[in-house]
């Protein structure tokens, strides 16, 4: 893989747990986290300044249901913060479960407003549903759906996930990938 990963979270308790090698995700054993922490391939922080200079950002924030509707405030807040550090050529992928249209109707405009850049022309973006909670497949063995807001974005995002997952499955666009997650 060869990636250096910085896990940014606004919850200092979660950051401390991860830095101590305690996984916060049921599908990822703490025993898998410790070696990447020790190798310095992964670090975690609550300091947004650590986002500066990123090449690829993967947004994995909750979108809890409130009265049967996803609460998108975490996605919007994350996009505003990330947009402050977005630079030409950096890639943004949303993985949070939401309704079809979230990537193009909320995430993209928020990133563009915060950064002054234009999605597609200045930075690749797309959606790829998170792959936790599947008892049939391992985390890295689960086929990974990938999408982009345009063909160039899809290519960048697919190349990134090809280095992590055994199988990637490109779909026609973010709305298709968002719908697939719901189904």
């Amino acid at each position: 893989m060869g990636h250096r990963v910085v896990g940014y979270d606004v919850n200092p308790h979660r950051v401390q747990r991860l830095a101590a090698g305690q996984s916060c995700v049921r599908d990822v054993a703490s025993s898998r986290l410790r070696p990447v922490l020790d190798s310095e391939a992964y670090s975690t922080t609550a300091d947004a300044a650590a986002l500066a200079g990123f090449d690829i950002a993967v947004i994995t924030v909750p979108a809890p249901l409130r009265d049967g509707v996803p609460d998108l405030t975490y996605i919007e807040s994350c996009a505003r913060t990330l947009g402050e550090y977005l630079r030409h050529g950096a890639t943004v992928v949303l993985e949070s479960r939401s309704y079809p249209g979230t990537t193009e109707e909320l995430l993209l405009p928020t990133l563009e407003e915060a950064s002054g850049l234009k999605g597609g022309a200045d930075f690749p973006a797309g959606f790829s549903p998170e792959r936790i909670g599947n008892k049939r497949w391992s985390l890295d063995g689960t086929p990974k759906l990938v999408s982009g807001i345009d063909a160039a974005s899809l290519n960048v995002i697919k190349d990134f996930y090809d280095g992590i997952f055994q199988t990637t499955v490109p779909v026609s666009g973010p709305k298709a990938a968002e719908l697939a997650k719901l189904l």
Side-chain angles (χ1 to χ4, degrees):
M1 290 192 326
H3 300 288
R4 184 177 166 280
V5 177
V6 175
Y8 167 72
D9 199 302
V10 297
N11 181 331
H13 176 68
R14 185 174 295 120
V15 168
Q16 290 171 346
R17 283 187 57 200
L18 289 167
Q22 299 172 4
S23 176
C24 297
V25 178
R26 174 179 27 131
D27 293 23
V28 178
S30 294
S31 60
R32 286 187 73 182
L33 183 57
R34 175 53 48 202
V36 293
L37 282 165
D38 291 344
S39 74
E40 298 182 3
Y42 173 72
S43 62
T44 183
T45 184
D47 181 4
L51 299 172
F54 74 87
D55 293 319
I56 298 177
V58 178
I59 299 173
T60 58
V61 297
L65 292 178
R66 307 245 190 262
D67 298 322
V69 177
D71 178 352
L72 305 180
T73 56
Y74 295 114
I75 295 171
E76 187 174 12
S77 175
C78 182
R80 268 190 262 108
T81 299
L82 193 59
E84 294 176 25
Y85 298 95
L86 185 59
R87 59 185 170 71
H88 193 277
T91 302
V92 179
V93 183
L94 179 62
E95 285 200 4
S96 301
R97 180 182 344 190
S98 185
Y99 62 84
T102 301
T103 301
E104 294 165 302
E105 297 165 12
L106 174 69
L107 178 70
L108 206 52
T110 305
L111 289 169
E112 291 173 342
E113 181 180 327
S115 69
L117 300 173
K118 180 75 174 139
D122 297 324
F123 66 93
F127 181 84
S128 181
E130 49 85 9
R131 305 303 298 167
I132 59 173
N134 188 323
K135 295 182 186 329
R136 181 174 175 213
W137 302 83
S138 66
L139 179 66
D140 53 356
T142 302
K144 180 77 165 149
L145 296 180
V146 295
S147 71
I149 59 170
D150 57 22
S153 294
L154 175 59
N155 289 337
V156 170
I157 292 166
K158 183 176 182 333
D159 285 348
F160 169 68
Y161 284 113
D162 280 346
I164 300 169
F165 291 87
Q166 295 171 13
T167 305
T168 56
V169 180
V171 297
S172 61
K175 286 180 183 172
E178 291 159 343
L179 180 60
K181 176 58 184 176
L182 294 179
L183 296 177

